[in-house]
Amino acid sequence: MRRPLVAVLIFALAVVGQVIVGPATASAARIVRIDAKSPTRSAVFIDSVAMGRTIQVDVLHPADSAARPSYYLLDGLDPGVGQSTWTNATDAEAFFAGKRVNVVLPVGGQASYYTDWQQDDPRFGRYKWETFLTAELPPLIDAEFDGNGVNGIGGLSMGGMAAFTLAARNPGLYRAVAGYSACPDMSMASSAVTFSIANRGGNPVNMWGAPGSAEWAAHDPAALADRLRGKTIYLSTGTGLPGQHELEIKPQLPENVVFGGPIEAGVNACVLSFGQRLHGVGIPAEIDRSLTGTHSWSYWQDTLHASWPTLARALGS
């Protein structure tokens, strides 16, 4: 990592030269603390002006200072406490060790869909995740962790849906986008989205207004599909039927089958529909529907591994 003075200078140049493609201009967000967990893992605490509070972001990174791309990897509906669930529930830290990439893991954002909510919510407070992820965070990551300005974004479930939304709304920011068991079609997912927010104590109307409004359409990757043109696209989904991991991890079998099975079956139908949408407008995508399996972490670890060769080529990693 660079020394603090160099990082400040690079950040200043990045802000001056940045073309903002998202909903807001880069602000005076700043890093307030970095806790080194290991030579290749850091917990970064960022004073976000957009959010009005300090946000933790974990970064998996090479130990040296050579320039590299960044892969923003988003969590699901109920993210981990104190760390991303990607590092808690999968082998992501070991998997990316030695790879020429920064893996950027936002911590928090329960049921946020990583978007800018129209209204502050009594349960969740101020959610301005799109501004944070697209305007505030990238110049800080590039300055502190030797990013070369090349970015990809991905996520599982809620995070995968959000990854496609962010990529479509900020087409100049990402070269690649990946979704693991994600449904990037709001016309098919709106009921599940509103239920998931309400089920966790939030008011879904505070996000984009009532379903069917113009703001929902403005955040729908299927409606914005043409903005994904030219990007490397990866999507994976299981069938919803019990598979290899349900047999291996028997204590999780009832939860995975009863809850994760129907969810994954719905995701599977959505991914098929979204793939047809992309094909219809001439946008190529790698869609892996080969796995039997449920909506659960063991499969997301598998598909993270499976997706990386495709994403690495796109990022030049």
Side-chain angles (χ1 to χ4, degrees), residues 3-309:
R3 297 173 63 183
L5 178 58
V6 177
V8 170
L9 292 173
I10 293 174
F11 170 65
L13 290 171
V15 171
V16 170
Q18 187 180 26
V19 177
I20 301 300
V21 292
T25 58
S27 67
R30 64 188 182 91
I31 295 173
V32 296
R33 189 174 92 246
I34 298 177
D35 294 344
K37 303 296 185 180
S38 78
T40 57
R41 178 176 174 178
S42 299
V44 185
F45 296 86
I46 296 168
D47 179 13
S48 167
V49 176
M51 300 270 242
R53 63 182 184 274
T54 299
I55 304 297
Q56 180 182 344
V57 175
D58 290 348
V59 184
L60 309 177
H61 53 82
D64 60 37
S65 59
R68 59 267 190 165
S70 298
Y71 182 42
Y72 291 76
L73 188 55
L74 306 180
D75 222 325
L77 274 167
D78 298 300
V81 177
Q83 65 176 309
S84 166
T85 316
W86 281 106
T87 52
N88 184 47
T90 77
D91 67 351
E93 184 173 3
F95 176 72
F96 284 107
K99 293 180 171 59
R100 304 299 311 168
V101 64
N102 295 322
V103 182
V104 185
L105 302 156
V107 177
Q110 183 186 42
S112 67
Y113 288 86
Y114 294 106
T115 191
D116 284 3
W117 285 38
Q118 292 180 335
Q119 305 290 333
D120 292 354
D121 188 79
R123 168 68 177 85
F124 299 125
R126 177 159 297 169
Y127 272 169
K128 296 293 181 183
W129 280 99
E130 181 172 358
T131 297
F132 176 72
L133 291 169
T134 65
E136 292 185 326
L137 186 57
L140 297 176
I141 294 297
D142 285 351
E144 187 64 34
F145 294 95
D146 304 286
N148 63 7
V150 174
N151 302 304
I153 189 167
L156 79 302
S157 195
M158 176 193 84
M161 181 186 297
F164 275 83
T165 299
L166 292 170
R169 287 173 56 82
N170 301 270
L173 189 56
Y174 307 106
R175 286 192 185 178
V177 56
Y180 312 103
S181 296
C183 175
D185 186 333
M186 289 300 168
S187 67
M188 298 185 69
S190 61
S191 295
V193 169
T194 56
F195 174 80
S196 67
I197 294 171
N199 189 49
R200 286 153 181 83
N203 183 348
V205 176
N206 287 332
M207 187 169 69
W208 301 322
S213 69
E215 278 302 296
W216 279 75
H219 291 82
D220 184 353
L224 304 175
D226 197 60
R227 297 189 187 184
L228 298 171
R229 192 177 304 278
K231 302 187 190 309
T232 295
I233 297 172
Y234 179 95
L235 274 165
S236 62
T237 173
T239 61
L241 298 174
Q244 174 185 353
H245 292 300
E246 281 72 33
L247 299 177
E248 292 174 348
I249 311 173
K250 292 183 180 179
Q252 295 183 11
L253 182 62
E255 179 181 353
N256 285 6
V257 173
V258 174
F259 297 105
I263 292 172
E264 194 71 3
V267 168
N268 189 42
C270 179
V271 168
L272 177 61
S273 174
F274 187 72
Q276 292 171 340
R277 166 66 175 152
L278 293 178
H279 180 74
V281 295
I283 297 176
E286 181 177 344
I287 300 179
D288 184 355
R289 300 178 63 246
S290 64
L291 293 177
T292 299
T294 62
H295 202 72
S296 52
W297 277 101
S298 298
Y299 296 101
W300 300 326
Q301 175 174 290
D302 290 347
T303 51
L304 176 66
H305 290 202
S307 70
W308 184 243

